[in-house]
Amino acid sequence: SAISNSNSLHVLLTQRPQNMKSHGGEVCFPGGKQDPEDEGDDVRTAMREAHEEVGLHPQHAESISRMESLESKHGLCVTPIIGLISPSSVAEPSQLTLNADEVEAAFAVPLEYFVDPENCDSAVPVNWGGKNFLLRTYLYDDPESGRQFKIWGFTAHVVHEVAMKAFAVHH
């Protein structure tokens, strides 16, 4: 989910609770597994999960892009849905209602942060599913919470791709 904040685009990320058996403590996008009620609709899944995890009401989200589905390291098929939130104030981390079972923290990062190679802590070449990727890691110092968040793997890949497209940067 991308949010517009003081005339610049931000991306809303969450950190999973440390004690979760799957991806404990990791940074990710709001989202999750498709339920039968979603009727096979990836956008409906994304909207429902964002509402369940951070209290973001679907009426404030507009789906603007569906990215290519990718297989995660755990063999899950993941289809990133990019959305704009309006008004952006409803997606400010301090305004969200976090589901403590699924989300330990929520924070917003300027999308432009992921364009600057200086912000990338490391980039390791990997081959996944026959395709070559750079496994990027970002260590983001959140000014709101004073915490540092490690953004890496699938989440870093997706947000980097979105940033490069949003700012028309060729790499």
Side-chain angles (χ1 to χ4, degrees):
S1 297
I3 61 174
S4 174
N5 179 341
S6 52
N7 299 324
S8 68
L9 290 173
H10 283 62
V11 63
L12 178 64
L13 295 170
T14 62
Q15 182 180 37
R16 295 169 65 85
Q18 298 290 340
N19 61 356
M20 288 191 86
K21 61 179 184 268
S22 172
H23 308 284
E26 292 188 8
V27 168
C28 58
F29 299 102
K33 192 164 53 172
Q34 201 165 75
D35 286 349
E37 69 197 70
D38 300 324
E39 299 175 348
D41 186 326
D42 294 331
V43 172
R44 188 177 289 176
T45 301
M47 299 292 186
R48 178 186 52 74
E49 284 284 340
H51 187 245
E52 287 177 10
E53 291 184 5
V54 297
L56 189 60
H57 201 281
Q59 73 186 30
H60 297 296
E62 176 191 0
S63 169
I64 59 168
S65 180
R66 171 193 312 259
M67 294 182 66
E68 178 183 359
S69 295
L70 296 168
E71 186 179 330
S72 76
K73 68 180 180 183
H74 296 287
L76 300 172
C77 177
V78 181
T79 305
I81 304 296
I82 310 304
L84 283 177
I85 309 304
S86 179
S88 61
S89 60
V90 301
E92 293 289 339
S94 63
Q95 300 302 310
L96 298 172
T97 304
L98 307 184
N99 176 342
D101 292 336
E102 298 187 49
V103 179
E104 181 176 304
F107 61 103
V109 182
L111 188 58
E112 204 164 17
Y113 175 86
F114 298 99
V115 173
D116 185 348
E118 291 293 314
N119 292 328
C120 186
D121 189 63
S122 68
V124 178
V126 295
N127 185 291
W128 184 256
K131 294 182 180 179
N132 291 319
F133 292 94
L134 278 179
L135 180 65
R136 292 178 174 81
T137 299
Y138 298 90
L139 300 176
Y140 179 69
D141 293 313
D142 179 34
E144 297 297 316
S145 67
R147 294 181 56 194
Q148 184 178 81
F149 293 96
K150 179 181 178 183
I151 305 163
W152 70 287
F154 183 84
T155 301
H157 172 73
V158 170
V159 76
H160 178 264
E161 289 297 308
V162 170
M164 298 305 266
K165 287 181 171 103
F167 294 101
V169 177
H170 301 286
H171 55 108

